[in-house]
Amino acid sequence: MTIEAKDGQTREPRIRLGMVGGGAGAFIGAVHRMAARLDDQFELVAGALSSTPEKAIVSGRDLGLDPARTYGSYKEMAIREARLKDGIEAVSIVTPNHVHYEAAKEFLKRGIHVICDKPLTSNLADAKKLKKLADESDTLFILTHNYTGYPMVRQAREMVANGELGDIRIVQAEYPQDWLTEAVEETGAKQAVWRTDPAQSGAGGSTGDIGTHAYNLASFVTGLELDSLAADLDSFVAGRRLDDNAHVMLRFKARGSEKAAKGMLWCSQVAPGHENGLKLRVYGTKGGIEWVQADPNYLWFTPFGEQKRLITRNGAGSGSAAGRVSRVPSGHPEGYLEAFATIYTEAAHAINAGKKGVAVDKAVIYPTVDDGVKGVAFVEACVASSKKNGAWVKV
Amino acid sequence: MTIEAKDGQTREPRIRLGMVGGGAGAFIGAVHRMAARLDDQFELVAGALSSTPEKAIVSGRDLGLDPARTYGSYKEMAIREARLKDGIEAVSIVTPNHVHYEAAKEFLKRGIHVICDKPLTSNLADAKKLKKLADESDTLFILTHNYTGYPMVRQAREMVANGELGDIRIVQAEYPQDWLTEAVEETGAKQAVWRTDPAQSGAGGSTGDIGTHAYNLASFVTGLELDSLAADLDSFVAGRRLDDNAHVMLRFKARGSEKAAKGMLWCSQVAPGHENGLKLRVYGTKGGIEWVQADPNYLWFTPFGEQKRLITRNGAGSGSAAGRVSRVPSGHPEGYLEAFATIYTEAAHAINAGKKGVAVDKAVIYPTVDDGVKGVAFVEACVASSKKNGAWVKV
Amino acid sequence: MTIEAKDGQTREPRIRLGMVGGGAGAFIGAVHRMAARLDDQFELVAGALSSTPEKAIVSGRDLGLDPARTYGSYKEMAIREARLKDGIEAVSIVTPNHVHYEAAKEFLKRGIHVICDKPLTSNLADAKKLKKLADESDTLFILTHNYTGYPMVRQAREMVANGELGDIRIVQAEYPQDWLTEAVEETGAKQAVWRTDPAQSGAGGSTGDIGTHAYNLASFVTGLELDSLAADLDSFVAGRRLDDNAHVMLRFKARGSEKAAKGMLWCSQVAPGHENGLKLRVYGTKGGIEWVQADPNYLWFTPFGEQKRLITRNGAGSGSAAGRVSRVPSGHPEGYLEAFATIYTEAAHAINAGKKGVAVDKAVIYPTVDDGVKGVAFVEACVASSKKNGAWVKV
Amino acid sequence: MTIEAKDGQTREPRIRLGMVGGGAGAFIGAVHRMAARLDDQFELVAGALSSTPEKAIVSGRDLGLDPARTYGSYKEMAIREARLKDGIEAVSIVTPNHVHYEAAKEFLKRGIHVICDKPLTSNLADAKKLKKLADESDTLFILTHNYTGYPMVRQAREMVANGELGDIRIVQAEYPQDWLTEAVEETGAKQAVWRTDPAQSGAGGSTGDIGTHAYNLASFVTGLELDSLAADLDSFVAGRRLDDNAHVMLRFKARGSEKAAKGMLWCSQVAPGHENGLKLRVYGTKGGIEWVQADPNYLWFTPFGEQKRLITRNGAGSGSAAGRVSRVPSGHPEGYLEAFATIYTEAAHAINAGKKGVAVDKAVIYPTVDDGVKGVAFVEACVASSKKNGAWVKV
């Protein structure tokens, strides 16, 4: 039994980081900053924190940035930082979705690694162009599908890969929330406004904002490729322009001689009682697992015909994939910020390996631009299927 | 705070009961007998307990029945008991599905009340004929959708009816099991054999056996009428002839000016870790509820924007609909048999009212032949939709 | 995987039962009646249901008893029933505590088996006299420490006996309630009045009413003998004459070369939020278990250094001791009445064996007058220790 | 409904921090560093990370410290840093208990703020001397009773202070672990060795290591002062020199006209299945609360006679005391590191206020040397009581 804690998994010099978006009043920017800081692999040194110049300046000052490196636009930042001797090595893009593509492009083409929030872009065409750019460059593209950083999600993935569930048959994924139960976007609430605006979010509402998380999580854990889906989308709140609830049936591609797996996915922003109710359940020929984001240090494992087991992070039966990304011993819970930080630290592993010209450790995992393209394709397929009255649509 | 218990809600003479099916090795027959006994409203006095005459005799003797009232066939029982001065007043039909129709007919037409297991019949045509017969007679037809007897299910229904959830938007129903994860029907296990046999079960496997329960529960609690469904059915176990997993999307009929509610339903018999995982979640404009059959004395109530509440059976905030069908104070759990017994006791209320020529108390609730027709229609719609690649099918 | 249910474990003729107490407005009488009925081993044929003659008559009529066998006093019932050819074979005593001794005596000495509610008597002297009487007769004495009838309690006991926990070190037992948080006895509430009255309850309040249950449960599961205790009792509600909260430290006798186990016991009737919060946790050198009465179909088992396991009644890993007293398959919960019924059915096994002159099956378990004496001794030791400022008192 | 996150609650320049202990192989040092970093209020610039000089050097290098500020002893660090213009402003002491006193003294007397792990010292005499030193200086002394940093612990405290529970009657505190179930100290496991060594830990084993946490938490939430205790301590593992299990009864001082509250406290390191099972339950005349460290984002609130409520961090009904120390919205869990970080950030608030010569905001809360003295007094009282066979001992 080990009682140990670890702060950061590399001892390299801190990576110089810039940020696009994330000024005062934002949500995810502060999360990215804490995540970047926790394992001490990054140092925030520059920012284009708001599209409103004044706000950008104030926000930079609040964060203690050098005023000379507080920029009025991401383009300006990309150009200047690329020229600086100690310019940023990586950039975090934490704006609304519609900005991702243009912003990422500016950094990618200048060799600055991109850490980008999801969904990748607001439409599939942009997503594919971005993938092309990323594929053609040596620059890393890390998409913050942060839930993949939770240790017990890693544990689940390892167990599936090890065959502990047998052939996968059924996937049940859901991500209900309740914060859009009423028309809060009409009150001007910043987070609600852009997330319900097609121009800023893209074609999907709940599907883009949280459905992509559920879909990514299911793919990450099972390793299955989605073949097609049938979706029934609604905007329950009068006047809302994007979906706030989606029911989706999933068909995965068969693997080898296995029967193809099936699934259901539910995402909602109008389900009272749910804050961030992301949950994944997977059932195979040999057993099942269940993971709930709000209680992330637990993983239920139910081998068929045996006693149900509750695996705890770093506890007995918790394996190396989970242990590698844990910081504290079992029984002391880690949370959302730690999982998010793991994405950053995985990115740091990859960036540092690149700097040293060595291969990235195989244990290092982070979501990439490919996951981003799949996510946007998922959203567009949901919307397309729903428009065709729930017909099956290939993804 | 009351500390009281009650055993039985009427003090009428016991109703004379016969049973069709339920001999040695059966499952649900013993359940019906315990349910009939708990509140002391019924007395089992006759039986056609098996289609195998010898087994019928032995089973009758085991149950202490008068040998003269242990019959070789339900028809013989119906004919003779109808002529006896103290013949049975009601009969429980607890056979495999395909027998329900013919058996029920014999008793209905002789004025013997029928308490019948679900699904109503093995096909919709039979179901409709049975409904016609029942509608045309004065005889009661009670379908044992037993989960509607749980006090907190009654509580949920009362809360929806009282508007505590506002307009209903989303219904999530599921009933996963794991006992058919492997091909146990090939080992000769009696329960598995008939439940996977189209000749005995009808067109639906998991949809008929447990999907109907989930659907009935959703309807019972919400009061919503199903409009149409889109289903994706599988038989994951090689060689299995009926579905063992079903993913269903639901569209309910709009009520008044409300936006029509949507839903998802999952039933499975191949989901390792689930024994009888019936669960219902309902979300409206004002709040949500969640009920889990395995923990039936609790009901989560999540009014939007307020603290989450856990209502316990007969505890604070548990209303009269639940209290009426509770036997013991809060904190001492009631279970499956008690809920089942409530269906019998509700039937007794109705039968006794009929005997006295008075109206049945409005608080009395039990599932009827109408619910049975809806259940069989649900199964057939699932099968039809799945055959049409998940197209929407009207129910 | 078996899907079976069973209703009653013997097929003997029903045992003729009388009842003392349990008239209108009582709590536990109705519970006893349902428990006696569930497995169909008993038939209630006589009663002295109230010490108020008129109430006794009305209550008998309500229960459908023959008026000739509705008695005005237990003594009258004992005398007359003992003479009847078809007189009662057993009697249930469900009065307040202070009546137990005198009532039981009348039946014991006439060879009528006694099924008596707990605590055994209102003082230790009576308890010992009753034990002497019972020991000297051939009549059975069954004490309804009903929680020992729960299948997962049987499972826990079997696991401890099998050494799955290793040597027992620590026992944590608790039984909090909240129904006496305020001075409800002053409102005349029947259950509160007698339970807070030393003349009717004895020296202990919460200790007698529920502390004895927690203590009995701990003893039943672990098989440990209590050596001594140190107690701190309170009557938090002003004017209350008996304890409504007790903190107790326990020292058990060492077994063989084992280090003596230690324990804590908390019982309370003034702990808001607890209905019947009986919980037992036991820890040994090899593992731990946890059982919660409100969720009785589960047993946590935590072998040291292994994954935590949740055993479900009749599910995988649930053994024969639990299966023997289960009625329905796993996943369909059994509750309080079923556990109570098991005590009755165990009594029936013993009574029937006696009638046939054969030995009682070794698997049959029920609490006896010895458990009753221990319970009253526990209460008096608590009171004595508390009076001596929490000094250790031998039990 | 707000969707916002915040990283750090002050925007002052980072406080220069040193660390005593916490070199390679340590547990709590890494935790302190992550905690100091999360909200970006501190910068680690110096360290005396090990009493073994070589290890101190290597550890400093691993952490990227300036070699000139990597010291071989805390005394050396205190002397030199006090003279530096940019010397450390605060120091974290994360050594085994017996070093705390001497180390803290060196920094306190040089005006360097001390952030010290618990228990304060290895004996009460040292604790009192340290308190005297701290009281006489202007230097801050922060004790990392980290569980007081959990938002829902703050919520609980606020609710008690607001009278939502009424007069407090009962306190149930427990902290079971299982990592010392076997004699791991004999395998040389660093954490086990010093924690079971009286010379390094002091008179208490589990009482000092975790019992102090449970006691501190109970005091923090209720605001009650402990009057006396009765304890029964054991060393269940053969050869172990300090207690590994303790049962304690508590008597608190009466407040005003309230009846004095009572409590129980259990701490154990030999309870298989428990990782860090810290739990607190408090019951008053008007309601109860329950908080469990492993699931820290929830607080059960059970107002007497009302529905049970589950309050979630930053969710509905979660107040300003919790919100002030939360970083992310409800539904995204915060964990142990965040709670620990809150202690650091509260310290930063106080240090920064001091630097500016303004009063510390009244909302700022952190454990002090006074809490430390109480903790050590608690341990010594437990040991004294147990030696006197559980007699009541004043604290």
Side-chain angles (χ1 to χ4, degrees):
Chain A
M1 194 143 303
T2 331
I3 299 280
E4 259 181 40
K6 55 192 178 198
D7 54 332
Q9 292 107 3
T10 67
R11 296 292 179 205
E12 311 296 328
R14 291 188 199 129
I15 295 160
R16 297 181 301 277
L17 182 70
M19 180 168 275
V20 178
F27 157 55
I28 207 69
V31 168
H32 278 253
R33 289 192 295 269
M34 289 186 276
R37 204 152 60 218
L38 186 69
D39 290 335
D40 211 18
Q41 306 299 328
F42 291 88
E43 185 166 23
L44 183 68
V45 296
L49 301 163
S50 173
S51 49
T52 316
E54 267 179 42
K55 208 161 146 190
I57 292 168
V58 171
S59 297
R61 197 176 56 208
D62 278 354
L63 292 174
L65 294 185
D66 179 349
R69 298 177 81 174
T70 302
Y71 300 93
S73 78
Y74 57 77
K75 187 156 186 180
E76 187 192 340
M77 177 162 84
I79 293 169
R80 181 156 180 267
E81 289 289 326
R83 288 182 191 150
L84 287 180
K85 195 187 153 200
D86 281 344
I88 58 173
E89 301 164 273
V91 68
S92 297
I93 300 176
V94 298
T95 63
N97 311 341
H98 68 303
V99 179
H100 292 180
Y101 171 64
E102 290 293 347
K105 212 167 59 173
E106 296 299 329
F107 295 93
L108 273 184
K109 70 183 185 194
R110 290 179 176 88
I112 294 168
H113 305 297
V114 172
I115 300 170
C116 182
D117 216 79
K118 45 56 51 190
L120 180 62
T121 57
S122 55
N123 64 71
L124 188 55
D126 282 358
K128 288 180 174 169
K129 283 188 280 181
L130 201 50
K131 174 174 159 51
K132 190 158 179 291
L133 280 174
D135 287 351
E136 288 168 1
S137 82
D138 290 336
T139 314
L140 298 173
F141 194 102
I142 294 98
L143 193 76
T144 51
H145 264 309
N146 51 292
Y147 301 113
T148 65
Y150 273 115
M152 298 317 275
V153 168
R154 300 285 177 108
Q155 171 73 19
R157 175 184 165 104
E158 187 178 47
M159 290 173 72
V160 172
N162 288 347
E164 296 191 49
L165 273 65
D167 296 348
I168 303 305
R169 288 171 166 171
I170 308 161
V171 176
Q172 297 286 345
E174 63 183 51
Y175 197 153
Q177 297 180 326
D178 67 5
W179 69 294
L180 295 179
T181 292
E182 297 178 350
V184 278
E185 62 266 43
E186 294 177 7
T187 67
K190 182 184 162 108
Q191 295 299 321
V193 168
W194 79 257
R195 284 170 209 260
T196 58
D197 175 7
Q200 296 186 70
S201 274
S206 67
T207 45
D209 199 23
I210 53 178
T212 48
H213 274 308
Y215 166 53
N216 176 262
L217 182 65
S219 304
F220 181 80
V221 167
T222 65
L224 293 171
E225 290 283 327
L226 188 60
D227 177 78
S228 51
L229 59 77
D232 197 21
L233 273 53
D234 279 277
S235 301
F236 277 112
V237 171
R240 185 162 290 161
R241 291 172 294 161
L242 292 174
D243 65 85
D244 52 22
N245 190 78
H247 295 163
V248 191
M249 300 197 296
L250 307 171
R251 290 180 179 165
F252 295 94
K253 291 179 184 163
R255 258 192 315 212
S257 61
E258 291 178 22
K259 205 164 179 330
K262 298 286 183 76
M264 293 176 99
L265 187 150
W266 171 44
C267 60
S268 182
Q269 293 173 317
V270 294
H274 290 286
E275 294 162 340
N276 284 289
L278 177 61
K279 178 157 81 169
L280 179 69
R281 295 178 290 178
V282 181
Y283 306 93
T285 50
K286 292 169 61 182
I289 51 172
E290 176 173 335
W291 180 78
V292 173
Q293 191 271 152
D295 304 300
N297 295 278
Y298 303 107
L299 179 71
W300 278 104
F301 172 44
T302 50
F304 181 61
E306 298 183 23
Q307 294 169 344
K308 299 174 210 309
R309 287 115 195 263
L310 183 64
I311 309 178
T312 55
R313 189 185 49 74
N314 264 354
S318 176
S320 61
R324 186 182 156 273
V325 296
S326 284
R327 290 163 190 81
V328 291
S330 61
H332 277 142
E334 294 196 24
Y336 173 79
L337 291 172
E338 286 86 345
F340 218 114
T342 288
I343 305 296
Y344 268 85
T345 299
E346 296 287 50
H349 285 302
I351 293 170
N352 286 329
K355 285 162 79 170
K356 289 193 276 187
V358 300
V360 181
D361 185 327
K362 285 192 174 174
V364 170
I365 308 173
Y366 54 82
T368 67
V369 75
D370 290 329
D371 298 294
V373 173
K374 285 179 190 169
V376 180
F378 168 82
V379 173
E380 299 207 347
C382 285
V383 172
S385 170
S386 195
K387 280 187 183 157
K388 293 190 218 171
N389 194 27
W392 288 94
V393 169
K394 290 274 175 186
V395 181
Chain B
M1 194 143 305
T2 328
I3 298 279
E4 259 182 38
K6 55 190 176 198
D7 53 333
Q9 292 109 1
T10 67
R11 296 290 179 207
E12 310 297 327
R14 289 187 200 131
I15 295 162
R16 296 182 301 278
L17 183 70
M19 180 168 277
V20 177
F27 157 55
I28 206 70
V31 168
H32 278 253
R33 289 192 295 270
M34 289 186 276
R37 206 152 57 220
L38 187 68
D39 290 336
D40 211 18
Q41 306 299 329
F42 292 88
E43 184 166 23
L44 183 69
V45 295
L49 301 163
S50 173
S51 50
T52 315
E54 268 179 40
K55 209 162 146 189
I57 292 169
V58 171
S59 297
R61 198 176 54 209
D62 279 355
L63 292 173
L65 293 186
D66 179 349
R69 299 177 82 175
T70 303
Y71 301 93
S73 78
Y74 56 78
K75 188 156 186 180
E76 189 191 338
M77 178 161 84
I79 293 169
R80 183 158 178 267
E81 289 288 329
R83 288 181 192 150
L84 288 179
K85 196 187 150 199
D86 281 344
I88 58 173
E89 301 164 273
V91 68
S92 296
I93 300 176
V94 299
T95 64
N97 311 342
H98 67 304
V99 180
H100 293 179
Y101 170 63
E102 290 292 346
K105 212 167 60 174
E106 296 299 329
F107 296 92
L108 273 184
K109 69 184 185 194
R110 290 181 175 86
I112 294 168
H113 304 297
V114 172
I115 300 170
C116 183
D117 216 78
K118 46 53 56 190
L120 181 61
T121 58
S122 55
N123 64 71
L124 188 55
D126 282 358
K128 287 179 174 169
K129 282 188 280 180
L130 203 50
K131 174 175 159 51
K132 190 158 180 291
L133 280 174
D135 287 351
E136 288 167 3
S137 81
D138 290 336
T139 314
L140 298 173
F141 195 103
I142 295 99
L143 193 77
T144 51
H145 264 308
N146 51 290
Y147 301 113
T148 64
Y150 274 115
M152 299 317 276
V153 167
R154 300 286 177 106
Q155 170 73 21
R157 176 184 164 103
E158 186 178 47
M159 290 173 72
V160 172
N162 287 348
E164 297 192 47
L165 273 66
D167 296 348
I168 303 305
R169 288 171 166 171
I170 308 162
V171 176
Q172 297 286 344
E174 64 184 49
Y175 197 153
Q177 296 181 326
D178 67 4
W179 69 294
L180 295 178
T181 293
E182 298 179 350
V184 278
E185 61 268 41
E186 295 178 6
T187 68
K190 183 184 160 106
Q191 294 301 320
V193 168
W194 80 256
R195 285 171 207 259
T196 59
D197 175 8
Q200 296 186 69
S201 273
S206 67
T207 44
D209 200 25
I210 52 177
T212 48
H213 274 308
Y215 166 53
N216 177 263
L217 182 66
S219 303
F220 182 80
V221 167
T222 64
L224 293 172
E225 291 283 325
L226 189 59
D227 176 78
S228 52
L229 59 78
D232 197 20
L233 273 52
D234 280 276
S235 300
F236 276 113
V237 171
R240 186 162 289 162
R241 290 173 295 163
L242 292 175
D243 65 83
D244 53 20
N245 190 78
H247 295 163
V248 191
M249 300 196 297
L250 308 171
R251 289 179 179 165
F252 295 94
K253 291 179 185 162
R255 258 192 315 213
S257 62
E258 292 178 22
K259 207 165 177 329
K262 297 285 183 78
M264 294 176 99
L265 186 149
W266 172 45
C267 59
S268 183
Q269 293 173 319
V270 295
H274 290 287
E275 294 164 340
N276 285 290
L278 177 60
K279 178 158 81 169
L280 179 68
R281 297 178 288 178
V282 180
Y283 305 93
T285 50
K286 292 170 59 181
I289 52 172
E290 176 173 332
W291 180 80
V292 172
Q293 189 272 150
D295 304 299
N297 295 278
Y298 303 107
L299 180 70
W300 279 103
F301 172 44
T302 49
F304 181 61
E306 298 184 23
Q307 294 169 345
K308 298 175 211 309
R309 287 116 194 264
L310 184 64
I311 309 179
T312 56
R313 188 186 48 75
N314 265 355
S318 176
S320 61
R324 186 183 155 273
V325 295
S326 285
R327 290 163 191 82
V328 292
S330 62
H332 278 143
E334 294 196 24
Y336 173 78
L337 291 174
E338 287 85 345
F340 218 113
T342 288
I343 305 296
Y344 268 86
T345 298
E346 296 286 50
H349 285 302
I351 293 170
N352 287 329
K355 285 163 79 171
K356 290 193 275 188
V358 301
V360 181
D361 185 328
K362 285 192 174 174
V364 170
I365 308 174
Y366 55 82
T368 67
V369 75
D370 291 329
D371 298 293
V373 173
K374 285 179 191 169
V376 180
F378 168 81
V379 173
E380 299 206 348
C382 285
V383 172
S385 170
S386 195
K387 281 188 182 154
K388 293 191 219 171
N389 195 27
W392 288 95
V393 169
K394 290 271 174 188
V395 180
Chain C
M1 194 141 303
T2 330
I3 298 278
E4 258 181 40
K6 56 192 177 198
D7 54 332
Q9 293 107 3
T10 68
R11 295 293 179 205
E12 309 297 328
R14 289 188 200 130
I15 295 161
R16 297 181 301 278
L17 183 70
M19 180 168 277
V20 177
F27 157 55
I28 207 68
V31 168
H32 278 253
R33 289 191 295 269
M34 288 186 276
R37 206 151 58 217
L38 186 68
D39 290 337
D40 211 18
Q41 306 298 329
F42 291 88
E43 185 166 23
L44 184 68
V45 295
L49 301 163
S50 173
S51 50
T52 315
E54 266 179 43
K55 208 163 148 189
I57 292 169
V58 171
S59 297
R61 197 176 54 207
D62 278 354
L63 292 174
L65 293 184
D66 179 349
R69 299 177 82 175
T70 302
Y71 300 93
S73 79
Y74 56 78
K75 188 157 185 180
E76 188 191 339
M77 178 161 82
I79 292 170
R80 180 156 182 268
E81 289 288 328
R83 289 184 191 148
L84 287 180
K85 198 187 149 197
D86 281 344
I88 58 173
E89 301 164 271
V91 69
S92 297
I93 300 176
V94 299
T95 63
N97 311 341
H98 67 303
V99 179
H100 293 180
Y101 170 62
E102 290 293 347
K105 213 167 60 173
E106 295 300 329
F107 295 92
L108 273 183
K109 69 183 185 194
R110 290 179 175 86
I112 294 168
H113 304 296
V114 172
I115 299 170
C116 183
D117 216 79
K118 47 54 53 189
L120 181 61
T121 57
S122 56
N123 65 71
L124 188 54
D126 281 358
K128 288 180 173 169
K129 283 189 279 180
L130 201 50
K131 173 175 160 51
K132 191 157 179 291
L133 279 174
D135 287 351
E136 287 167 4
S137 82
D138 290 336
T139 314
L140 298 174
F141 195 103
I142 294 98
L143 193 76
T144 50
H145 264 309
N146 51 290
Y147 301 113
T148 65
Y150 273 115
M152 298 318 276
V153 167
R154 300 286 177 106
Q155 171 73 20
R157 175 184 164 104
E158 186 177 47
M159 291 174 71
V160 172
N162 287 348
E164 296 192 49
L165 273 66
D167 296 348
I168 302 306
R169 288 170 166 170
I170 308 162
V171 177
Q172 297 285 346
E174 63 183 51
Y175 198 152
Q177 296 180 326
D178 66 5
W179 69 294
L180 295 179
T181 293
E182 298 178 349
V184 278
E185 63 266 43
E186 294 177 7
T187 67
K190 182 185 161 106
Q191 294 300 321
V193 167
W194 79 257
R195 285 171 206 260
T196 58
D197 175 8
Q200 296 186 72
S201 274
S206 67
T207 46
D209 199 24
I210 53 176
T212 48
H213 273 308
Y215 166 54
N216 177 263
L217 182 66
S219 304
F220 182 80
V221 167
T222 64
L224 294 171
E225 290 284 325
L226 188 60
D227 178 78
S228 51
L229 60 76
D232 197 20
L233 273 52
D234 280 276
S235 300
F236 276 112
V237 170
R240 186 161 289 161
R241 289 172 296 161
L242 292 174
D243 65 83
D244 53 21
N245 190 77
H247 295 163
V248 191
M249 299 197 297
L250 308 171
R251 290 178 180 167
F252 295 94
K253 292 179 184 162
R255 257 190 317 211
S257 61
E258 291 178 22
K259 206 165 179 327
K262 298 285 183 75
M264 295 176 99
L265 187 150
W266 171 45
C267 59
S268 182
Q269 294 173 317
V270 295
H274 290 286
E275 293 163 340
N276 284 289
L278 177 61
K279 179 159 79 170
L280 179 69
R281 296 178 289 178
V282 181
Y283 306 93
T285 50
K286 292 169 60 182
I289 51 173
E290 177 173 332
W291 180 79
V292 173
Q293 191 273 150
D295 304 300
N297 296 278
Y298 304 106
L299 180 70
W300 277 103
F301 172 43
T302 49
F304 181 61
E306 298 184 23
Q307 294 169 345
K308 299 175 212 309
R309 288 117 194 263
L310 183 65
I311 309 178
T312 55
R313 189 186 49 74
N314 265 354
S318 176
S320 61
R324 188 183 153 273
V325 296
S326 283
R327 289 162 191 81
V328 292
S330 61
H332 278 142
E334 294 197 25
Y336 173 78
L337 291 173
E338 287 86 344
F340 218 113
T342 288
I343 306 296
Y344 267 85
T345 298
E346 295 287 50
H349 284 302
I351 292 170
N352 286 329
K355 286 163 78 172
K356 290 193 275 186
V358 301
V360 180
D361 185 329
K362 285 192 173 173
V364 170
I365 307 173
Y366 54 83
T368 68
V369 75
D370 290 329
D371 297 294
V373 173
K374 284 180 190 168
V376 180
F378 167 83
V379 173
E380 299 207 348
C382 285
V383 172
S385 170
S386 195
K387 281 189 182 154
K388 292 191 219 173
N389 195 29
W392 288 95
V393 169
K394 289 272 175 187
V395 180
Chain D
M1 193 143 306
T2 330
I3 299 279
E4 257 183 40
K6 56 190 177 197
D7 53 333
Q9 292 108 1
T10 66
R11 296 293 178 205
E12 310 297 327
R14 291 188 201 129
I15 295 161
R16 296 180 303 276
L17 182 70
M19 179 168 277
V20 178
F27 157 55
I28 207 68
V31 168
H32 277 254
R33 289 191 294 269
M34 288 186 277
R37 206 151 58 218
L38 187 68
D39 289 337
D40 211 18
Q41 307 298 328
F42 291 88
E43 183 166 24
L44 183 69
V45 296
L49 300 163
S50 173
S51 50
T52 314
E54 268 179 40
K55 209 162 145 189
I57 292 169
V58 171
S59 297
R61 197 176 54 207
D62 279 354
L63 292 174
L65 293 185
D66 178 349
R69 298 176 82 173
T70 302
Y71 299 93
S73 78
Y74 57 78
K75 188 157 186 177
E76 189 191 338
M77 177 161 84
I79 292 169
R80 181 157 180 269
E81 289 288 329
R83 288 182 190 150
L84 287 179
K85 195 187 152 199
D86 280 345
I88 58 172
E89 301 165 271
V91 68
S92 296
I93 300 177
V94 298
T95 64
N97 312 341
H98 67 304
V99 180
H100 293 179
Y101 171 63
E102 290 293 347
K105 213 167 59 172
E106 296 300 328
F107 296 93
L108 273 184
K109 70 183 184 193
R110 290 179 175 87
I112 294 168
H113 305 297
V114 172
I115 299 170
C116 183
D117 216 77
K118 48 52 55 191
L120 180 61
T121 58
S122 55
N123 65 70
L124 189 54
D126 281 358
K128 287 180 174 169
K129 282 188 281 180
L130 201 51
K131 174 175 160 52
K132 190 159 180 290
L133 279 174
D135 287 352
E136 289 167 3
S137 81
D138 290 338
T139 314
L140 298 174
F141 195 103
I142 294 99
L143 194 75
T144 52
H145 263 310
N146 51 292
Y147 301 113
T148 64
Y150 273 115
M152 298 317 275
V153 168
R154 301 286 177 105
Q155 171 73 20
R157 175 184 165 105
E158 186 178 47
M159 289 172 72
V160 172
N162 288 348
E164 296 192 49
L165 273 66
D167 296 348
I168 303 305
R169 288 171 166 171
I170 308 162
V171 176
Q172 297 285 345
E174 65 183 50
Y175 197 153
Q177 295 180 327
D178 67 4
W179 69 293
L180 295 179
T181 293
E182 297 177 352
V184 279
E185 61 267 42
E186 294 177 6
T187 67
K190 182 183 161 110
Q191 294 300 320
V193 168
W194 79 257
R195 284 171 208 260
T196 58
D197 175 7
Q200 296 186 70
S201 274
S206 68
T207 44
D209 199 24
I210 53 178
T212 48
H213 273 308
Y215 166 53
N216 177 263
L217 182 66
S219 304
F220 182 80
V221 168
T222 64
L224 292 172
E225 291 282 326
L226 189 59
D227 177 77
S228 52
L229 59 78
D232 197 20
L233 273 52
D234 279 277
S235 301
F236 276 112
V237 171
R240 185 161 289 161
R241 291 173 294 162
L242 291 175
D243 65 84
D244 53 22
N245 191 77
H247 295 164
V248 191
M249 299 197 297
L250 308 171
R251 289 180 180 164
F252 295 93
K253 292 180 184 162
R255 259 193 313 213
S257 61
E258 292 178 21
K259 206 164 178 327
K262 296 287 183 75
M264 293 176 100
L265 186 150
W266 171 45
C267 59
S268 182
Q269 293 173 318
V270 296
H274 290 287
E275 294 164 339
N276 285 289
L278 177 61
K279 179 159 80 170
L280 179 69
R281 296 178 290 178
V282 181
Y283 305 94
T285 50
K286 292 169 59 181
I289 51 172
E290 176 173 334
W291 181 79
V292 173
Q293 191 271 152
D295 304 299
N297 295 278
Y298 303 107
L299 180 70
W300 278 104
F301 172 43
T302 49
F304 182 62
E306 298 184 23
Q307 295 169 343
K308 300 175 210 308
R309 288 116 195 263
L310 184 64
I311 310 178
T312 55
R313 187 185 51 73
N314 264 355
S318 176
S320 61
R324 185 183 155 274
V325 295
S326 284
R327 290 164 190 81
V328 291
S330 62
H332 278 143
E334 294 196 26
Y336 173 79
L337 291 173
E338 286 85 344
F340 218 113
T342 289
I343 305 296
Y344 268 84
T345 299
E346 296 286 50
H349 285 301
I351 292 170
N352 287 329
K355 285 162 78 170
K356 291 193 274 187
V358 300
V360 181
D361 184 328
K362 284 190 175 177
V364 170
I365 309 173
Y366 56 82
T368 67
V369 75
D370 290 330
D371 298 294
V373 173
K374 285 179 190 169
V376 180
F378 168 82
V379 173
E380 299 207 346
C382 284
V383 172
S385 169
S386 195
K387 280 187 182 156
K388 293 191 218 172
N389 195 28
W392 288 96
V393 169
K394 290 273 175 187
V395 180

